[in-house]
Amino acid sequence: MGGLSGSAHTAERAERVPKQDRSRATRQRLLEAALACLAERGWAGSTVTVVAEHAGVSRGAAQHHFPTREDLFTAAVEYVAEERSTALRALFPDGAAPGDRHAVVAALVDLYTGPLFRAALHLWVAASHEEQLRGRVTELEARVGRETHRIAVDLLGADESRPGARETVQGLLDMARGLGLANLLTDDAARRDRVVEQWARLLEQALEGEAD
Amino acid sequence: MGGLSGSAHTAERAERVPKQDRSRATRQRLLEAALACLAERGWAGSTVTVVAEHAGVSRGAAQHHFPTREDLFTAAVEYVAEERSTALRALFPDGAAPGDRHAVVAALVDLYTGPLFRAALHLWVAASHEEQLRGRVTELEARVGRETHRIAVDLLGADESRPGARETVQGLLDMARGLGLANLLTDDAARRDRVVEQWARLLEQALEGEAD
């Protein structure tokens, strides 16, 4: 009995594991398609149906994973933001040295110039006049913002116990967001590189100054 | 004949002037209503009909002034941006003294935290995926951006012939835009004030450093 029950359990598990894998893969495909869709078409052009089609998933399966449009697109931005955070930390696996500060600033700014920022921007802007999005997106923005700030402080080696250090880093991230906005309609890469170089220098002085 | 013609001309002018005034007042009401509408409802909710109604103007009169939706809303953002630029210069009628730099940075950042920025943001974001808007908004953004940069350089007393000074000012305006974005869903004024204070200090050092 024990043996039989045990082997039934094992068989059940063997079936369940690939099913979970498939489910996870479907979910991931949906999230990636949702981000791309939001970045390219904006909120008005982004529906669960369009995303399901792009992901090669039935509408029913998409709705099983994400019951509402708001669920799908906020999850997509959160998922890709987490991926980007992980990738950013992985660029400096042993932490960043003081000599890496220019590279760190450039990598932080890069967070705001690709499809993730574009998609997030569409979501933020839609949330500013759609009540059913506002609360969720506000919460998501705060969560992602805190995590990005934490990474920036770590990688820049900023000592937040010193007056002004926290605001120095915050202002840098605000500048990064502004650079993302400036890249929305035209390729702003050449100007951005010059601004990043100069602001990395200012930051260097500011953080060294704080350390005196 | 000369006298008659002259007096007819005068009578015609007397009639025409108030007509021009009325027309200018109508145009201005439409522009202001369009900006408020765009800031509150976003691009999808902003039509000529809605704006005409808010401005208390017939749809026909609105279309006489602005034949297309794109005409109306790009003109609205340009009009209000010019008004804000003029107001910013008027804050420092004799130019700004070095001691005014914190006030200048705060005033520049203020450009990006009200209805103008909100409306412009909706327009930029819509232009990123609507072809009939893209060219016009790109051109408008460049024009407004150049003018804001010019004002910032003047008021901050930045010497752009010195290496880095131009990028210092550009980065500041990017930061201001990022602060505007951070204010979209929540009132970010308290954090913003601290960031402005810190970066005004860093900028002060940077521009003084350049001047050495």
Side-chain angles (χ1 to χ4, degrees):
Chain A
M1 273 289 260
L4 186 65
S5 156
S7 85
H9 189 70
T10 307
E12 199 193 348
R13 268 175 100 180
E15 257 199 320
R16 216 186 331 158
V17 172
K19 209 170 169 187
Q20 282 179 347
D21 281 351
R22 277 203 307 279
S23 175
R24 198 178 303 123
T26 299
R27 191 184 145 84
Q28 194 172 323
R29 266 210 318 282
L30 284 167
L31 291 171
E32 283 163 1
L35 194 102
C37 180
L38 192 51
E40 281 162 30
R41 304 182 176 211
W43 177 247
S46 293
T47 62
V48 177
T49 306
V50 168
V51 170
E53 204 171 286
H54 275 249
V57 169
S58 74
R59 198 183 136 79
Q63 281 188 319
H64 167 73
H65 283 279
F66 303 101
T68 71
R69 187 183 175 210
E70 288 75 23
D71 292 333
L72 173 58
F73 291 99
T74 52
V77 168
E78 179 147 33
Y79 171 77
V80 177
E82 278 169 8
E83 275 207 318
R84 292 295 311 263
S85 293
T86 305
L88 179 53
R89 286 204 187 265
L91 281 181
F92 305 93
D94 309 313
D100 291 333
R101 277 198 186 130
H102 179 270
V104 169
V105 173
L108 286 167
V109 167
D110 272 355
L111 286 179
Y112 299 93
T113 53
L116 168 62
F117 176 74
R118 209 172 275 262
L121 184 62
H122 283 300
L123 201 61
W124 289 188
V125 166
S128 77
H129 52 88
E130 292 205 11
E131 276 314 312
Q132 78 275 28
L133 265 180
R134 196 186 187 96
R136 302 178 66 154
V137 173
T138 302
E139 202 199 325
L140 173 60
E141 185 189 21
R143 209 155 56 230
V144 171
R146 271 195 304 272
E147 173 61 7
T148 309
H149 183 85
R150 206 172 299 129
I151 296 177
V153 165
D154 285 356
L155 293 182
L156 292 167
D159 176 359
E160 289 199 303
S161 69
R162 290 178 184 270
R166 184 175 177 75
E167 289 75 19
T168 299
V169 174
Q170 286 182 335
L172 176 75
L173 292 175
D174 287 311
M175 186 200 68
R177 262 189 290 271
L179 285 169
L181 209 47
N183 200 52
L184 192 63
L185 298 182
T186 51
D187 178 1
D188 190 43
R191 184 190 78 93
R192 181 168 66 247
D193 286 350
R194 293 192 297 271
V195 171
V196 163
E197 192 174 336
Q198 173 66 4
W199 273 58
R201 233 164 44 84
L202 297 181
L203 196 83
E204 185 72 39
Q205 290 164 10
L207 295 177
E208 292 309 306
E210 306 294 340
D212 282 348
Chain B
M1 274 286 263
L4 185 63
S5 157
S7 84
H9 190 70
T10 308
E12 200 194 346
R13 270 174 96 180
E15 257 199 322
R16 219 187 327 159
V17 172
K19 210 171 171 185
Q20 282 179 347
D21 281 353
R22 277 203 307 279
S23 176
R24 198 178 302 124
T26 300
R27 191 184 145 83
Q28 194 172 323
R29 268 211 316 283
L30 284 166
L31 291 171
E32 283 164 1
L35 194 103
C37 180
L38 192 51
E40 280 162 31
R41 303 182 177 212
W43 176 247
S46 291
T47 62
V48 178
T49 307
V50 167
V51 170
E53 203 171 286
H54 275 249
V57 168
S58 75
R59 198 183 135 78
Q63 282 188 319
H64 167 74
H65 283 278
F66 303 100
T68 71
R69 187 181 175 212
E70 288 76 21
D71 292 332
L72 173 59
F73 291 98
T74 53
V77 167
E78 180 149 30
Y79 171 77
V80 177
E82 279 169 8
E83 275 206 320
R84 293 295 310 263
S85 293
T86 305
L88 179 53
R89 287 206 187 265
L91 280 181
F92 305 93
D94 308 312
D100 291 333
R101 279 203 182 121
H102 178 270
V104 170
V105 173
L108 286 167
V109 167
D110 272 354
L111 286 179
Y112 300 92
T113 52
L116 168 62
F117 176 75
R118 207 171 276 260
L121 184 62
H122 284 299
L123 201 61
W124 291 185
V125 166
S128 76
H129 53 87
E130 292 204 12
E131 276 314 311
Q132 76 275 27
L133 265 180
R134 195 184 187 95
R136 302 179 65 152
V137 173
T138 302
E139 202 198 326
L140 172 62
E141 185 190 21
R143 210 157 52 232
V144 171
R146 272 195 303 274
E147 173 62 8
T148 310
H149 182 84
R150 206 172 299 130
I151 296 177
V153 165
D154 286 354
L155 293 183
L156 293 167
D159 176 358
E160 288 200 301
S161 68
R162 291 177 182 270
R166 184 176 177 75
E167 290 74 19
T168 299
V169 174
Q170 286 182 334
L172 175 72
L173 293 175
D174 288 311
M175 187 190 75
R177 263 189 290 271
L179 286 168
L181 208 48
N183 201 52
L184 193 63
L185 298 182
T186 49
D187 178 359
D188 190 42
R191 184 190 77 94
R192 183 169 65 246
D193 286 349
R194 293 191 297 270
V195 171
V196 163
E197 191 174 340
Q198 172 66 0
W199 274 93
R201 230 164 45 82
L202 296 178
L203 199 81
E204 184 72 39
Q205 290 163 8
L207 295 176
E208 291 309 307
E210 307 292 339
D212 282 348

